[in-house]
Amino acid sequence: MKFSLKQYAFLLSCLTIFIFLGFGWYTYNQIESAKIILADWKFKSTNEELSEAITKAAEQGTQAARKFAEWGESGQQILNSSFYSYWREQRMMSAGFLPTNTLAANLYNVQGESLSDVSELTLPFRIDPQKLPQHFIIHEKNNVAHAAFFAPVYSQGGKTTIGFVSISLPILPLISNYKFYHIDEKSIKIKAKSGHTPMTEIIHYIDYEKKKDISSVVVQTILDNASQGLLIASLIIAVLLYVLLGYGIKRPLQSLIDHIYLLRKNPDFLHSGRFLKELPIKELNEVSQALNAYQEELNNVYGSLDEKNKELLELANTDALTSMKNRRAFNEHWQQVCHIAENSRLDICMMLFDIDHFKAINDSYGHQMGDEVLVAISGLINSEFRKGELLYRLGGDEFGTVIINCNEKTGLEIAHRCNESVSSFNFSSLGIMEKVQISIGISCTQSGNKADLDNLSWQADSAVFQAKRPGEQSVMAYQPEMAASSRSLFSNWIYSAVFKAIETGDGIKIHYQPIVELSNNTINYYESLVRIQHKDEIIPPSHIFPIISARNLDMEMDQVIVKAILDDLEKQRIPAGTGVSINLSGPSVSSTDLINWLQPLRKYLKQYKLVFEVTETALISQMSKATDNLNKLKSMGFLIALDDFGSGYSSLRYLGSMPVDIVKFDISLIKDLENPKQHKLILSLCKMINEIGYEMVAEGIEHTETHQRVFHAGFDYGQGFLYGKPAENFKTNKPR
Amino acid sequence: MKDRLIIFLLLLCFSASLFSKELSIPLNNSLHGLAEYTEGDKDKPAVLILHGILQTRNFSTTQKIGDFLEESGYTTLRPTISLGVDSRKTSLACEAIHTHTMESDIEEIAQWVQWLKKKHQKIILLGHSAGASLLVAYLDKYKNTHITPEKIILVSLAYFGNRPSSNATSAEIDKARKAVAAGQLGPASFGFIYCNNYVSPPEAYLSYIEWSQQRVTEGLINISSPVSLLFGAGDKRIEQTWPAKLSEMGMDVHITDEANHFFHGSHEFDLLDFIENAVDS
């Protein structure tokens, strides 16, 4: 489960609130516990305080009684009570020796008898001199509780007791006089209790209210405020955290992410865009710096790759021999030109160059010299071009160019210059004694029509073909009558259909002709033969391959054919237990990429017998590479058949040096079997090939007699109309 | 002389009480009397110092005189007249019932003189204010039957009847006399010396009033021992001309200018100078 940064911020905020609330709850509980402890302590303190107040009150009362006893006049009255009544009424209370709130006071002689005959309600009339009351008398009078205090009166400096005193004081003022901290002294009330009650028990008859503890109220208020503050603070902190994480981190992070997405979506941005924002977070800033550094490194790598690509493209588009652009470059350039010229009124001129009798030069002076001629001529032609005009080597001895903004007149001028340049070149410096000439065909259009542009190619080709004709000028511009006169068989639509088939595969039809095992007359495998269907017409190989050959499209055609066969294999259209033989052109056999594009066939080797047929002609050029490729194919399990054996001049030479499994005798040799003189030679040849171990296929078998002959000659397989014509549908029944 | 007095006063604080003790003796009226007794040099006479009316031995004037004499090596006895209060330690308020009389006071003085005489051969009697007049009355009563002091020193000698600035007006005295005549012997309020409300049985009250200027003068004349008198010129409690009259009568009278009844302030030194001279002579 993955969360966004905002969600994490929200979770963190919630966590913060939870922690704060938890802390607040814990603190609240602690405070409540403290309150209970405090209340308990207060209760005890209150009781202790009240007890102490009562004790102090008793001490004060006793002290007042002692002071009264120590007053000289008290002793004077006890010793001489003649005027006691007068003294008691006039003097005793006003002399200042008794507390002002004294309710009553009395003197007793040493026997404990009151000196007065007046009985006081709050004081005893007689006391026990041996045992002074140790308790206090609580008596109700006007709802006021009183306490009586007693003290002895001494003479001779305290040596002799001469009498006693008693005073009656209201107890409440005495108690209230105490400095209370916990009890509201104004609230103290003593419940009505008649009779005598010991002072020690008075606490049970006292009602009071506790003082409002302002400090605890203040503390409570502070704590309440603190709790509210804590809650608000936690909310604020949570919101701030959310905002900080959500915007302080998420926004710069999002900015970085957007930048990276932009880089991913738009690679061009890599070269120009740097993350320039200064981010508020150090680590993110480091990430952005690292990203910029990484981007810079990537830029360098891209730059290096671009250069390499350019170099590779240059190599791929350049002919290694002449350093001119090759056919691949020509095709790309032509597409660009078509793109530009379509729907415009630009003059487009295609120009094709062909070296006259170049094969003869090769044959006569060898390939090396032929190559030197190619280099020299390409240089001469190129030197006549204007800036921006390029010469392309289209294959073999054929060169071409496309010139924009060039009408037929200008094109002819350029062509003539080129022709003149070549004609005037001293080829003897290369060791060639014969005159070397070129034929140039041009075709121009201004229509901007796609069909017209498509036609330029074969029209220029026709012009070259025309220029090569004896008696014709070396430079020819295409004229409509050329199509009929020179290569009338190659109509416009055939060209278009062939090119389209190579380009897109459209119209490609593979016809399969059975190859029969002669020993049992069963179909062993089929030779695949290409046809191109255009509308309702089938273009035969005889029309296809001249165009292919002229345009050096052999390999491209082979690839299209292989692709079509792969489709048939995939759809299991080819009968099980048989096989397919595929013709490979010379350029394909010597191609460095051959193994790669034949690789998809490999998986059908278990089900089918797959044979590649190559001709002697194909083996002539690039012998070494061709041998290497065929060896690899053999090792992969494919079979190699040497086609048209005996049609050339060095068949045995190639047979000896090439990795061949099957030898397909040319039809001319099979026909020679009918000739008694040559019959023996063919038989000997068959015997020899048979002994070497090659399987042999006889082509062109149309009659049963021929069948008998080849069988007896030792051929393994036979191919011909006798067994079946090339057809789209497979013939599976046994031949006659 | 003044320097010596200053040193004396400083030392007084530290040593005065070291040799003093409080005495309590049973009085004839079943009360107990208190006194402070300080023993001094045996070759010097012992001095009995008596305080004024309603005061105690600790009254400031007599306290200073006693301290001075004790420091000078004299044995002193400073009794507190009980005034009817057992072991009296504090002054007696005007409003208290004053059952004491001149006679009861004289008897207490006699008891203290007897007590002192038992210890010392030579004694000097020194009284202040009413204490001086009590001494005169004591000497008058026991002039033939009692001991003869070496010296009588009377400071601010006062009298009770016909006394200026006294609340014992003629009306008050008449009221007392009428009460006695009417048999109303219970306590009543009278004007007496500085008291407006002096509560006393009329007979007891009159026992003091009878000791007027004339009666005191007569008592002085009858004293056989040498008598030295000191008056303050500013003493308002006696008739101003009385000291001069006594002097004219041949008595040893000393008058300190501007001094009041108590010799307050700087006159304290004059008082002590007089005492020193008087006891030495």
Side-chain angles (χ1 to χ4, degrees):
Chain A
M1 185 179 290
K2 292 176 182 174
F3 295 107
S4 69
L5 202 58
K6 273 192 173 182
Q7 286 168 324
Y8 276 114
F10 179 72
L11 284 174
L12 192 59
S13 301
C14 291
L15 187 64
T16 304
I17 293 173
F18 179 75
I19 288 169
F20 270 92
L21 289 181
F23 178 73
W25 179 81
Y26 174 77
T27 309
Y28 175 78
N29 275 344
Q30 290 296 310
I31 291 167
E32 287 302 309
S33 299
K35 275 184 185 174
I36 292 167
I37 292 168
L38 194 63
D40 189 44
W41 174 77
K42 269 189 175 179
F43 178 74
K44 288 178 182 174
S45 300
T46 306
N47 276 346
E48 286 173 5
E49 190 173 51
L50 189 60
S51 297
E52 194 175 335
I54 292 168
T55 304
K56 291 282 182 189
E59 285 176 7
Q60 281 183 35
T62 305
Q63 191 67 32
R66 282 181 190 153
K67 186 182 176 187
F68 183 40
E70 287 169 4
W71 186 24
E73 291 182 33
S74 299
Q76 181 193 19
Q77 292 305 314
I78 288 169
L79 291 174
N80 181 5
S81 58
S82 308
F83 306 115
Y84 175 65
S85 296
Y86 179 89
W87 179 83
R88 190 163 177 268
E89 290 174 7
Q90 302 295 325
R91 172 64 178 162
M92 182 177 73
M93 299 299 281
S94 60
F97 279 85
L98 288 169
T100 52
N101 60 348
T102 303
L103 293 169
N106 203 1
L107 298 179
Y108 303 87
N109 62 21
V110 75
Q111 287 80 31
E113 296 166 344
S114 174
L115 297 186
S116 171
D117 52 359
V118 178
S119 176
E120 288 285 351
L121 283 174
T122 56
L123 291 173
F125 189 70
R126 182 185 179 84
I127 58 172
D128 182 357
Q130 302 303 317
K131 188 179 178 182
L132 275 181
Q134 295 298 311
H135 60 279
F136 297 82
I137 299 165
I138 305 300
H139 198 91
E140 276 303 304
K141 182 181 180 183
N142 300 328
N143 267 342
V144 178
H146 301 81
F149 301 93
F150 300 87
V153 180
Y154 298 106
S155 178
Q156 286 187 291
K159 291 178 183 173
T160 309
T161 302
I162 59 172
F164 303 94
V165 299
S166 69
I167 61 172
S168 174
L169 298 171
I171 189 67
L172 197 54
L174 286 176
I175 293 173
S176 301
N177 199 33
Y178 184 75
K179 179 67 180 172
F180 287 100
Y181 292 97
H182 305 296
I183 296 172
D184 181 8
E185 56 267 25
K186 292 177 183 173
S187 70
I188 296 173
K189 289 177 184 172
I190 299 175
K191 289 181 281 189
K193 177 78 169 84
S194 298
H196 296 176
T197 303
M199 195 68 172
T200 50
E201 293 181 16
I202 193 175
I203 193 167
H204 303 302
Y205 302 99
I206 293 177
D207 284 337
Y208 61 86
E209 289 177 6
K210 290 173 191 171
K211 272 185 179 175
K212 282 187 178 174
D213 191 350
I214 296 171
S215 60
S216 60
V217 172
V218 170
V219 167
Q220 182 65 42
T221 307
I222 290 169
L223 288 174
D224 289 345
N225 291 339
S227 299
Q228 289 173 4
L230 188 68
L231 184 64
I232 293 167
S234 64
L235 287 173
I236 290 171
I237 289 170
V239 170
L240 284 176
L241 267 176
Y242 182 79
V243 171
L244 186 67
L245 286 173
Y247 293 92
I249 296 176
K250 200 256 177 180
R251 284 182 67 182
L253 202 56
Q254 188 62 49
S255 178
L256 263 178
I257 291 167
D258 291 344
H259 182 79
I260 293 166
Y261 268 118
L262 194 60
L263 286 177
R264 199 175 76 173
K265 283 183 180 174
N266 184 8
D268 291 339
F269 187 68
L270 183 68
H271 302 290
S272 55
R274 280 174 61 85
F275 192 83
L276 297 174
K277 284 182 186 173
E278 191 69 24
L279 299 177
I281 295 165
K282 186 183 171 187
E283 286 76 6
L284 287 181
N285 227 23
E286 288 174 2
V287 169
S288 77
Q289 286 171 1
L291 179 67
N292 284 336
Y294 175 72
Q295 193 176 324
E296 204 164 314
E297 284 292 318
L298 217 52
N299 270 338
N300 293 336
V301 171
Y302 269 119
S304 178
L305 280 175
D306 279 347
E307 284 180 13
K308 294 289 180 189
N309 281 339
K310 283 176 184 172
E311 286 175 15
L312 282 173
L313 192 63
E314 191 67 20
L315 284 173
N317 289 342
T318 303
D319 177 54
L321 177 64
T322 61
S323 299
M324 298 294 128
K325 296 293 178 185
N326 59 16
R327 170 170 284 281
R328 175 193 174 98
F330 178 83
N331 291 339
E332 286 179 4
H333 180 57
W334 175 240
Q335 284 180 1
Q336 288 175 359
V337 169
C338 289
H339 183 71
I340 293 167
E342 266 183 25
N343 303 318
S344 74
R345 303 293 294 174
L346 277 174
D347 284 315
I348 304 297
C349 188
M350 183 178 284
M351 196 175 296
L352 295 178
F353 306 84
D354 201 292
I355 301 172
D356 296 345
H357 312 297
F358 182 70
K359 191 169 184 303
I361 294 169
N362 253 345
D363 291 344
S364 303
Y365 295 96
H367 289 291
Q368 189 175 352
M369 188 60 75
D371 289 345
E372 287 182 16
V373 169
L374 287 172
V375 172
I377 289 174
S378 64
L380 289 167
I381 297 170
N382 198 44
S383 64
E384 296 301 325
F385 285 171
R386 296 170 299 189
K387 190 178 179 182
E389 297 170 353
L390 292 174
L391 182 66
Y392 300 86
R393 188 186 177 196
L394 303 178
D397 60 338
E398 189 181 5
F399 296 88
T401 188
V402 176
I403 304 171
I404 303 171
N405 260 339
C406 176
N407 56 24
E408 188 176 294
K409 184 185 173 196
T410 309
L412 284 170
E413 285 173 5
I414 294 168
H416 281 296
R417 282 205 311 269
C418 294
N419 188 44
E420 185 61 31
S421 180
V422 172
S423 297
S424 59
F425 184 74
N426 182 15
F427 282 95
S428 61
S429 61
L430 301 177
I432 294 174
M433 298 300 113
E434 292 79 9
K435 189 178 181 181
V436 179
Q437 287 188 316
I438 59 173
S439 298
I440 304 170
I442 65 172
S443 176
C444 301
T445 181
Q446 196 189 15
S447 69
N449 185 284
K450 186 174 185 305
D452 291 341
L453 287 168
D454 287 343
N455 289 335
L456 281 182
S457 179
W458 69 263
Q459 287 172 352
D461 209 34
S462 297
V464 172
F465 186 80
Q466 193 68 29
K468 274 185 174 292
R469 283 191 167 187
E472 292 290 346
Q473 290 181 353
S474 299
V475 178
M476 295 290 285
Y478 173 78
Q479 300 303 321
E481 56 271 21
M482 285 182 183
S485 61
S486 62
R487 290 194 175 183
S488 55
L489 65 164
F490 301 147
S491 61
N492 289 353
W493 66 267
I494 292 174
Y495 264 96
S496 298
V498 171
F499 286 137
K500 189 177 180 183
I502 290 171
E503 193 175 339
T504 64
D506 289 350
I508 291 290
K509 299 288 178 188
I510 304 298
H511 287 200
Y512 295 92
Q513 184 176 28
I515 295 173
V516 173
E517 191 171 349
L518 297 176
S519 60
N520 55 17
N521 281 343
T522 57
I523 296 171
N524 190 267
Y525 63 100
Y526 301 87
E527 183 180 2
S528 58
L529 298 163
V530 69
R531 308 285 187 270
I532 294 173
Q533 183 169 10
H534 179 72
K535 296 180 180 175
D536 295 332
E537 294 192 45
I538 294 293
I539 303 172
S542 55
H543 287 185
I544 295 170
F545 283 101
I547 297 172
I548 295 298
S549 180
R551 285 282 173 261
N552 293 313
L553 295 171
D554 307 77
M555 194 162 68
E556 285 82 353
M557 177 54 92
D558 287 348
Q559 288 175 345
V560 171
I561 293 167
V562 167
K563 195 175 176 184
I565 293 168
L566 272 170
D567 189 49
D568 288 340
L569 288 168
E570 179 69 30
K571 293 173 180 172
Q572 297 183 337
R573 293 186 62 242
I574 299 169
T578 63
V580 178
S581 69
I582 304 164
N583 290 286
L584 291 179
S585 66
S588 292
V589 171
S590 55
S591 167
T592 53
D593 201 32
L594 176 70
I595 304 300
N596 285 336
W597 58 264
L598 290 180
Q599 194 72 21
L601 287 168
R602 198 175 178 181
K603 63 180 180 181
Y604 298 104
L605 281 170
K606 289 181 182 177
Q607 298 170 258
Y608 297 101
K609 178 179 182 176
L610 297 178
V611 182
F612 293 114
E613 296 186 11
V614 295
T615 61
E616 292 175 12
T617 314
L619 297 175
I620 290 171
S621 60
Q622 304 284 333
M623 173 71 87
S624 172
K625 184 63 189 171
T627 306
D628 187 40
N629 279 341
L630 294 178
N631 277 324
K632 284 180 182 173
L633 290 173
K634 268 196 78 172
S635 66
M636 289 162 68
F638 296 103
L639 297 174
I640 308 299
L642 181 63
D643 199 10
D644 297 335
F645 180 74
S647 62
Y649 303 98
S650 309
S651 296
L652 285 176
R653 176 190 162 201
Y654 293 122
L655 186 62
S657 59
M658 296 301 290
V660 173
D661 301 292
I662 300 166
V663 178
K664 285 187 79 174
F665 278 58
D666 190 68
I667 194 167
S668 57
L669 286 180
I670 300 303
K671 284 181 177 175
D672 286 344
L673 281 174
E674 296 172 7
N675 188 328
K677 189 178 180 181
Q678 292 177 340
H679 180 77
K680 287 184 179 178
L681 179 66
I682 301 298
L683 286 179
S684 300
L685 185 61
C686 289
K687 186 180 179 186
M688 182 183 69
I689 291 171
N690 221 349
E691 284 176 355
I692 293 170
Y694 297 128
E695 290 185 320
M696 294 183 296
V697 177
E699 291 183 307
I701 299 173
E702 297 178 354
H703 309 288
T704 309
E705 293 77 13
T706 311
H707 168 80
Q708 293 298 329
R709 279 194 199 99
V710 296
F711 179 70
H712 292 297
F715 281 89
D716 300 292
Y717 306 104
Q719 181 183 3
F721 287 177
L722 179 65
Y723 310 115
K725 292 181 180 178
E728 203 169 352
N729 296 321
F730 288 89
K731 183 176 181 180
T732 55
N733 56 326
K734 283 187 178 180
R736 285 178 298 162
Chain B
M1 182 62 190
K2 284 187 178 178
D3 293 340
R4 284 175 59 196
L5 281 170
I6 291 168
I7 293 167
F8 153 72
L9 288 171
L10 288 172
L11 293 171
L12 197 65
C13 301
F14 302 100
S15 57
S17 61
L18 294 177
F19 310 102
S20 302
K21 62 177 181 182
E22 188 177 59
L23 295 176
S24 176
I25 61 169
L27 302 174
N28 293 334
N29 52 6
S30 75
L31 302 177
H32 291 82
L34 299 178
E36 184 174 310
Y37 173 69
T38 304
E39 194 138 12
D41 297 341
K42 292 195 181 297
D43 55 345
K44 288 186 176 179
V47 183
L48 186 148
I49 303 166
L50 199 61
H51 59 80
I53 188 70
L54 305 183
Q55 299 302 323
T56 67
R57 67 173 186 266
N58 297 321
F59 185 69
S60 62
T61 305
T62 51
Q63 177 83 46
K64 285 168 193 168
I65 293 169
D67 292 342
F68 173 71
L69 290 174
E70 287 157 13
E71 190 60 28
S72 302
Y74 289 93
T75 298
T76 60
L77 177 70
R78 289 188 287 131
T80 295
I81 302 302
S82 71
L83 303 179
V85 175
D86 182 60
S87 302
R88 187 172 71 91
K89 290 180 179 176
T90 58
S91 58
L92 197 60
C94 296
E95 293 78 11
I97 297 178
H98 297 273
T99 55
H100 55 92
T101 62
M102 197 70 176
E103 285 72 26
S104 65
D105 295 344
I106 289 168
E107 287 308 310
E108 283 188 32
I109 292 168
Q111 278 191 274
W112 285 114
V113 171
Q114 284 292 341
W115 183 88
L116 189 61
K117 190 63 182 175
K118 288 176 184 173
K119 288 183 174 289
H120 299 274
Q121 290 295 316
K122 296 177 181 178
I123 61 170
I124 294 172
L125 299 179
L126 191 155
H128 172 249
S129 186
S133 55
L134 278 174
L135 285 177
V136 172
Y138 158 73
L139 290 168
D140 183 69
K141 183 176 180 181
Y142 291 101
K143 57 188 173 187
N144 297 319
T145 59
H146 229 275
I147 56 103
T148 303
E150 294 297 313
K151 180 88 177 184
I152 308 297
I153 300 169
L154 303 173
V155 177
S156 298
L157 174 64
Y159 45 87
F160 300 104
N162 299 320
R163 177 177 161 178
S165 304
S166 171
N167 290 312
T169 59
S170 300
E172 291 293 309
I173 295 168
D174 286 345
K175 186 175 78 176
R177 284 175 179 158
K178 285 177 182 174
V180 172
Q184 296 172 346
L185 302 179
S189 178
F190 300 102
F192 183 62
I193 49 173
Y194 57 84
C195 297
N196 287 321
N197 183 22
Y198 183 79
V199 179
S200 175
E203 286 178 334
Y205 171 70
L206 290 173
S207 70
Y208 290 97
I209 296 299
E210 284 172 3
W211 283 86
S212 62
Q213 182 185 20
Q214 184 182 349
R215 182 75 176 86
V216 172
T217 304
E218 287 171 3
L220 278 173
I221 293 168
N222 293 329
I223 295 173
S224 57
S225 300
V227 177
S228 291
L229 295 111
L230 176 66
F231 290 98
D235 189 347
K236 306 293 183 187
R237 298 174 187 239
I238 56 171
E239 187 184 349
Q240 293 295 301
T241 58
W242 190 46
K245 288 177 184 174
L246 292 175
S247 182
E248 287 171 4
M249 290 168 67
M251 293 187 187
D252 180 26
V253 176
H254 299 262
I255 299 171
T256 301
D257 291 341
E258 298 179 354
N260 62 12
H261 189 69
F262 304 102
F263 287 85
H264 284 153
S266 61
H267 300 297
E268 186 179 316
F269 299 108
D270 298 323
L271 168 67
L272 296 179
D273 281 346
F274 165 74
I275 297 296
E276 186 180 30
N277 291 330
V279 294
D280 283 347
S281 60

